[in-house]
Amino acid sequence: MDGTGGMDFYDVSLVDGFNLPVLVAPQGADAGGNCAPAGCVVDLNGGCPAELRVKSKAAGAGVVACKSACQAFGSPLHRRVRESR
């Protein structure tokens, strides 16, 4: 990573949808720094709104991913998903 001034920046986001739990955990960080793990290590697919669900073609596999609202509706509007809950 080796960012500007020796600082590294990282982000874990669900903005483009998700399909796998992820965790970024810094290794070898200096003591007293503000490096902290970021991520989500649980399966969020069960809470995915119906309009965003990606289902497996394999029988009985269920929801395997959750699309972003932008991808599902072709628009940055997220109101449709919130109202459907």
Side-chain angles (χ1 to χ4, degrees):
M1 293 168 65
D2 196 23
T4 303
M7 300 283 293
D8 294 324
F9 300 91
Y10 54 91
D11 179 32
V12 176
S13 172
L14 303 177
V15 73
D16 291 321
F18 54 88
N19 65 345
L20 295 171
V22 64
L23 178 68
V24 174
Q27 302 291 310
D30 292 336
N34 61 358
C35 292
C40 184
V41 294
V42 298
D43 183 356
L44 298 174
N45 290 325
C48 182
E51 300 93 336
L52 305 180
R53 291 180 182 168
V54 177
K55 296 183 179 179
S56 172
K57 293 179 183 180
V63 179
V64 296
C66 191
K67 294 184 273 189
S68 70
C70 291
Q71 181 183 23
F73 304 126
S75 167
L77 299 176
H78 302 285
R79 186 178 323 133
R80 292 186 219 169
V81 175
R82 286 192 204 121
E83 290 173 354
S84 69
R85 287 186 175 180

